Amino acid sequence: MESWVVDWIKEQRSLGVKCLEIKQRGTKYYVYHSTTHWDKNIKKAIKTSKYLGRLDRERGMVESHENQESQRSEAQSTDVRNVTEYGNSILLQESLKDLKPLLIGAFPGNWEEVYALSKLRVTGNVPLKRAESAWEKYYNIESINPNLKPKNLSKMLHEVGTNRDGLE
């Protein structure tokens, strides 16, 4: 192994970085994070290595694309909404603004669930078991809080379906 590689490893160890392994393939050097874990079935230690990147004389370690992508995805906010979810929500709110008072009058106990389910079903055929997760991704412009658990929706749809006059 070349002296600059040995110097790089010593520098990393002085910084407190552990478990680094350098593998040489031809004239190139590759950096791995290597550890072991005990396998109870075969009763011996098993080596586990994860590729970190390539070692370059001028630049030091060049991280792999996989590591860079995982760091980018961790940095992105989970609260960012898709533009289409916001646009669909605004469009449906405007389209259904006349329906909302009718639902409140006919089904005062269940209007939020009926309203939310109708908005979800317009954008696509969402099964009842996925309605709650689909609603969480949806931009809730009206700040309603419907109970979209599958058992509740099934019971509610049965009640609404049998209540043909819209009376409770």
Side-chain angles (χ1 to χ4, degrees):
M1 205 173 295
E2 295 182 40
S3 63
W4 66 271
V5 176
V6 175
D7 292 340
W8 185 85
I9 292 173
K10 287 179 182 176
E11 179 186 344
Q12 294 302 310
R13 287 186 181 150
S14 69
L15 294 173
V17 180
K18 297 179 181 179
C19 305
L20 290 181
E21 179 183 11
I22 306 294
K23 294 183 182 178
Q24 182 179 3
R25 301 275 192 280
T27 59
K28 297 190 180 189
Y29 296 94
Y30 300 93
V31 182
Y32 291 84
H33 180 267
S34 297
T35 59
T36 59
H37 68 278
W38 185 257
D39 190 334
K40 288 189 261 183
N41 297 330
I42 59 174
K43 297 181 180 173
K44 68 179 207 177
I46 303 293
K47 181 179 175 181
T48 306
S49 295
K50 181 183 177 204
Y51 175 67
L52 298 176
R54 187 173 52 86
L55 200 55
D56 185 80
R57 184 185 293 256
E58 288 83 31
R59 296 186 291 172
M61 188 176 76
V62 180
E63 287 190 26
S64 72
H65 294 295
E66 292 172 1
N67 289 342
Q68 291 172 351
E69 288 174 12
S70 67
Q71 288 174 354
R72 270 190 229 123
S73 64
E74 290 172 5
Q76 291 175 347
S77 173
T78 57
D79 292 336
V80 175
R81 298 287 185 216
N82 190 333
V83 173
T84 58
E85 291 168 352
Y86 179 78
N88 286 343
S89 182
I90 298 293
L91 179 65
L92 287 173
Q93 181 204 8
E94 284 299 310
S95 300
L96 298 175
K97 66 181 174 188
D98 296 333
L99 177 65
K100 188 176 170 183
L102 297 173
L103 287 175
I104 293 171
F107 308 105
N110 298 324
W111 76 268
E112 287 184 344
E113 288 80 9
V114 174
Y115 187 68
L117 194 58
S118 65
K119 287 177 90 173
L120 289 173
R121 291 272 173 107
V122 165
T123 59
N125 190 10
V126 178
L128 294 182
K129 66 182 180 182
R130 293 198 184 101
E132 188 172 25
S133 64
W135 183 257
E136 289 171 359
K137 294 176 189 168
Y138 207 68
Y139 185 78
N140 189 1
I141 195 164
E142 297 165 289
S143 300
I144 63 174
N145 192 19
N147 182 358
L148 296 177
K149 301 218 179 298
K151 286 185 180 179
N152 182 57
L153 287 178
S154 182
K155 179 183 165 199
M156 182 271 307
L157 287 173
H158 178 72
E159 290 173 4
V160 169
T162 56
N163 186 359
R164 301 206 182 264
D165 297 328
L167 305 171
E168 286 222 15

